[in-house]
């Protein structure tokens, strides 16, 4: 902390610049999440300040990011649907999930998990990031053309019958909870049903219409209807925003083009009194903690989202630590991964308490900060303070920003966040696996599976499926590679080891030597099981050389035990040579040693084993 002000001027300018870049994105991510622009600002303020203060990367600028916002959308939409479409009722549970994600990040840091995050396979990350881009891009088409499903009366009317069923079903559930027997008291049910107003029906139908049009599949479903109801003014505002963002970058990158687009297009729309749709009202005054997350907390509403909270925590960790690596490369420093996770967790936890959406280390904002002179934690804290000043001083003005402008900004974010490097590499990646005659690249399969499932199904589950597939394919590859070293060959086909040159030729028909090279594990057990079938009928003794078998897993152990039992039943003596520490420990635990292989049949060297063979094995073909 004593070095906090060692680069005051550079950190001040870097923080201000990063804060300016963060402003339009914070508003856009807040709107996109479903909690509104203020939630995006609150998240940017608190995460930027506290993640910088407690984190392990001096130059990192944190706040809401595209991946974190995309997962947050899933959480928010799901919990709102469980609360009759009421965001107000759902808000405590939503913020509890965000708080839980922050606390999990703190736990990951304290447990030292930070150094393991880098083991997440690249194809999973690539597929996920491209899916984020697809989700943002597709879901922003509707607001960009000024179409809002719940405001389309004809579309909403389609859901009125379903809305009536849901309302009646809720009445029956309420009565069941109150102990009212419907069959005995129809009057109470009828009375409550008669209390349903047209406004209640319309509200529920609007919720259903909005839910039906949510996500990638929903947006695509209603797109034909939306294209017949384009609001041309909104579309022009969105396209103007996109054009300025890309066009201004060609003039200069010193001033954030997204901010220029926000100010110019909003200024023109407001100045000329155009009839546009503004974003939601941003509350004025200092953010206040939402104590309802503690007083109205219900475990049942959060339990289904524990895994989602963990996903948010891991995603934020990956996002942040990848940005930390970028910062290290630019500043020639080294971040502290576990401390960074603790800082991110503290920032996300505090943001949740104040009603903000979760975030992570943001690469673009961090790069901007470093290029502008930021070197210490002060720069991230300055960025958070700047956003707080904007909230307090310019909240009413920011509330006049057209919704289409933020949709345009998000369209460019969606295009930019896709992993084009991974997509371009698809044709050139080696086809390292096969399914019958079909050959394919395992990495391409993983990436496409995560991309498709994330886009059309569920972000959280898609990542889990991707990790499982990546793990299975990795194990298959390692199994194949390792099995190549654990050759299972008959004696005449296998190359003798140097110390076997003196083995008596007269005993080669009676003694079978097996070399175990490499680990005996699940990937090589099937080949090892074939060893019993390779033993010549004339053999009475089998020597198993283990000096190059460093490791044995449980699958290998039990396979070895089965083979040894089979050989013993056939009356064959088994001799072990050079049993290493780990395999011996495993065999002693289940009784292979000494029950199947007594100590006198275990030798430290092949020469010692050869002495035993010469003394105990007789040539069956010697005529007396």
């Amino acid at each position: 902390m004593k070095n906090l002000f060692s680069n005051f001027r550079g950190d001040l300018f870097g923080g201000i610049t990063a804060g300016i870049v963060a402003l339009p994105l914070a508003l856009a991510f807040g709107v996109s999440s479903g909690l509104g622009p203020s939630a995006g600002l609150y998240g940017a303020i608190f995460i930027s300040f506290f993640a910088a203060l407690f984190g392990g990367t001096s130059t990192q600028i944190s706040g809401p990011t595209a991946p974190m916002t995309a997962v947050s959308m899933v959480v928010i939409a799901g919990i709102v649907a469980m609360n009759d479409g009421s965001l107000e009722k759902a808000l405590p549970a939503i913020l509890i999930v965000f708080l839980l994600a922050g606390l999990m990040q703190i736990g990951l840091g304290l447990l030292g998990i930070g150094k393991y995050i880098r083991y997440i396979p690249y194809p999973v990350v690539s597929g996920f990031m491209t899916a984020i881009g697809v989700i943002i891009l597709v879901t922003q088409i509707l607001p960009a053309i000024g179409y809002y499903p719940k405001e389309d009366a004809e579309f909403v009317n389609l859901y009125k019958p379903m809305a009536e069923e849901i309302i009646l079903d809720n009445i029956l559930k309420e009565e069941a909870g109150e102990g009212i027997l419907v069959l005995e008291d129809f009057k109470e049910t009828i009375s409550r049903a008669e209390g349903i107003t047209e406004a209640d029906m319309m509200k529920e139908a609007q919720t259903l219409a909005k839910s039906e049009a949510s996500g990638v599949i929903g947006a695509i479903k209603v797109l034909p209807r939306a294209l017949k109801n384009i609001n041309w003014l909104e579309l022009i505002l969105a396209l103007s925003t996109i054009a300025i963002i890309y066009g201004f970058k060609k003039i200069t990158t010193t001033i954030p083009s997204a901010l220029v687009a926000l100010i110019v297009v909003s200024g023109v729309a407001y100045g000329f009194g155009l009839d546009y749709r503004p974003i939601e009202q941003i509350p004025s005054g200092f953010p206040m903690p939402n104590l309802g997350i503690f007083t109205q907390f219900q475990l049942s509403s959060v339990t289904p989202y524990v895994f989602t909270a963990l996903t948010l925590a891991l995603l934020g960790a990956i996002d942040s630590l990848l940005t930390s690596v970028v910062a290290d490369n630019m500043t020639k420093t080294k971040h502290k991964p576990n401390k960074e996770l603790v800082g991110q967790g503290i920032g996300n936890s505090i943001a949740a308490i104040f009603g903000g959406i979760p975030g992570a280390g943001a690469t673009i904002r961090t790069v901007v900060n470093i290029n502008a002179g930021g070197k210490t934690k002060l720069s991230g804290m300055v960025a958070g303070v700047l956003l707080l000043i904007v909230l307090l001083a310019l909240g009413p003005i920011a509330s006049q920003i057209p919704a289409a402008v933020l949709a345009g900004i998000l369209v460019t974010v969606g295009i930019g966040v896709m992993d084009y490097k991974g997509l371009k590499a698809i044709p050139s990646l080696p086809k390292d696996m096969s399914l019958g005659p079909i050959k394919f690249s395992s990495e391409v399969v993983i990436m496409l599976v995560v991309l498709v499932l994330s886009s059309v199904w569920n972000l959280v589950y898609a990542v889990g499926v991707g990790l499982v597939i990546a793990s299975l394919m990795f194990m298959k590859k390692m199994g194949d590679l390792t099995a190549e070293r654990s050759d299972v060959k008959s004696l005449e086909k296998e190359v003798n080891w140097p110390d076997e040159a003196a083995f008596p030729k007269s005993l080669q028909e009676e003694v079978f030597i097996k070399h175990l090279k490499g680990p005996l594990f699940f990937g090589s057990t099937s080949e090892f099981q074939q060893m019993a079938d390779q033993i010549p009928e004339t053999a009475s003794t089998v020597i198993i050389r283990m000096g190059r078998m460093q490791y044995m897993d449980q699958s290998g152990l039990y396979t070895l035990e089965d083979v040894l039992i089979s050989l013993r039943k056939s009356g064959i003596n088994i001799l072990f040579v050079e049993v290493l520490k780990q395999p011996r420990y495993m065999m002693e635990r289940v009784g292979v040693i000494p029950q199947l292989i007594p100590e006198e049949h275990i030798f430290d060297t092949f020469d010692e084993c050869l002495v035993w063979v010469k003394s105990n094995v007789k040539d069956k073909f010697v005529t007396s």
Side-chain angles (χ1 to χ4, degrees), residues 282-352:
I282 298 176
S284 58
F286 195 88
M288 299 301 293
N290 191 325
L291 300 180
I293 63 176
F294 302 112
T295 59
Q296 301 174 35
F297 170 68
Q298 291 183 342
L299 184 62
S300 59
S301 62
V302 176
T303 303
Y305 293 93
V306 170
F307 181 65
T308 306
L310 178 59
T311 302
L312 268 172
L314 291 173
L315 177 60
I318 296 168
D319 212 356
S320 300
L321 295 181
L322 287 176
T323 303
S324 296
V325 172
V326 172
D328 285 351
N329 292 334
M330 292 183 68
T331 59
K332 308 304 177 187
T333 57
K334 188 170 179 62
H335 72 281
K336 299 176 181 177
N338 294 316
K339 187 177 181 182
E340 181 61 34
L341 292 188
V342 171
Q344 292 292 332
I346 292 173
N348 278 312
S349 299
I350 295 175

Side-chain angles (χ1 to χ4, degrees), residues 26-267:
L27 294 170
F29 287 140
V31 172
S32 176
S33 73
L35 288 188
S38 58
L41 265 181
Y42 294 165
I45 290 167
F46 291 106
I47 299 171
S48 179
F49 187 89
F50 288 102
L53 179 60
F54 296 104
T57 311
S58 298
T59 54
Q60 181 126 283
I61 304 294
S62 303
T65 61
M68 295 294 279
T69 302
V71 178
S72 299
M73 287 166 57
V74 175
V75 177
I76 294 165
I79 298 180
V80 167
M82 290 171 58
N83 286 270
D84 304 325
S86 172
L87 178 60
E88 186 178 352
K89 288 170 61 177
L91 188 59
I94 292 169
L95 297 182
I96 278 290
V97 173
F98 293 164
L99 174 60
L100 184 60
L103 295 176
M104 286 180 174
Q105 279 188 320
I106 295 174
L108 292 174
L110 294 177
L111 291 172
I113 305 297
K115 59 186 177 181
Y116 298 108
I117 296 296
R118 65 180 183 270
Y119 294 115
I120 301 294
Y122 176 79
V124 175
V125 177
S126 176
F128 181 80
M129 293 305 294
T130 302
I132 293 298
V134 171
I135 292 169
I136 292 175
L137 188 59
V138 174
T139 56
Q140 291 308 306
I141 292 175
L142 299 184
I145 63 178
Y147 179 78
Y148 295 86
K150 69 176 185 179
E151 296 177 7
D152 183 347
E154 185 180 343
F155 185 59
V156 170
N157 285 335
L158 297 175
Y159 294 92
K160 276 191 174 181
M162 192 184 301
E164 185 177 7
E165 290 180 14
I166 291 174
I167 293 174
L168 289 173
D169 186 53
N170 289 337
I171 289 174
L172 295 176
K173 287 179 180 178
E174 288 176 7
E175 291 181 348
E178 295 169 9
I180 298 174
L181 298 177
V182 178
L183 294 177
E184 296 180 4
D185 195 354
F186 280 109
K187 292 181 179 179
E188 178 65 24
T189 305
I190 294 171
S191 175
R192 295 190 183 190
E194 290 176 345
I196 301 173
T197 65
E198 183 66 23
D200 294 332
M201 295 273 290
M202 181 60 70
K203 183 179 179 182
E204 186 64 38
Q206 286 177 334
T207 300
L208 291 171
K210 181 180 179 181
S211 176
E212 181 67 18
S214 64
V216 172
I217 298 297
I220 293 174
K221 280 182 180 179
V222 301
L223 187 57
R225 175 181 289 274
L227 293 175
K228 295 177 182 177
N229 296 274
I230 295 177
N231 184 317
W232 293 103
L233 174 60
E234 300 287 321
L235 178 58
I236 291 170
L237 293 176
L239 292 177
S240 300
T241 302
I242 295 169
I244 292 174
I245 288 174
Y246 287 122
F248 195 79
K249 286 179 180 179
K250 296 181 179 180
I251 300 173
T252 179
T253 55
T254 304
I255 303 174
S257 60
L259 182 67
V260 173
L262 178 73
I263 294 173
V264 171
V265 181
S266 300

Side-chain angles (χ1 to χ4, degrees), residues 306-501:
V306 170
F307 181 65
T308 306
L310 178 59
T311 302
L312 268 172
L314 291 173
L315 177 60
I318 296 168
D319 212 356
S320 300
L321 295 181
L322 287 176
T323 303
S324 296
V325 172
V326 172
D328 285 351
N329 292 334
M330 292 183 68
T331 59
K332 308 304 177 187
T333 57
K334 188 170 179 62
H335 72 281
K336 299 176 181 177
N338 294 316
K339 187 177 181 182
E340 181 61 34
L341 292 188
V342 171
Q344 292 292 332
I346 292 173
N348 278 312
S349 299
I350 295 175
I353 293 173
F354 282 86
I357 59 174
T363 305
I364 299 300
R365 280 160 266 180
T366 300
V367 171
V368 166
N369 174 45
I370 295 170
N371 288 337
K375 290 183 179 180
T376 75
K377 295 171 178 287
L378 183 62
S379 57
M381 297 162 68
V382 168
V385 171
L386 174 70
L387 292 171
L388 177 61
I389 293 172
V390 170
L391 172 68
L392 297 176
L394 303 176
I397 297 175
S399 298
Q400 300 303 315
I401 295 172
V405 170
L406 296 187
I409 291 173
L410 284 172
V411 166
T412 63
V413 171
I415 294 172
V417 80
M418 294 184 191
D419 182 29
Y420 296 103
K421 181 180 178 181
L423 292 173
K424 288 179 182 177
I426 288 178
S428 59
L429 288 174
K431 296 180 179 180
D432 54 354
M433 301 198 76
S434 61
L435 187 61
I438 303 173
K439 292 186 177 181
F440 57 89
S441 168
S442 58
E443 296 193 346
V444 171
V445 169
I446 295 166
M447 184 176 69
L448 293 180
V449 166
V450 174
L451 169 58
V452 173
L453 293 183
S454 296
S455 301
V456 303
W457 182 38
N458 186 293
L459 278 165
V460 178
Y461 298 151
V463 172
V465 170
L467 288 173
V468 170
I469 294 175
S471 300
L472 291 175
M473 288 188 172
F474 173 78
M475 288 190 290
K476 175 68 169 61
K477 287 181 187 177
M478 292 300 102
D480 291 344
L481 290 172
T482 309
E484 289 177 4
R485 299 185 178 183
S486 295
D487 300 328
V488 181
K489 303 173 182 176
S490 59
L491 182 61
E492 56 270 26
K493 293 181 181 179
E494 194 165 12
V495 178
N496 291 340
W497 288 0
D499 56 357
E500 296 170 8

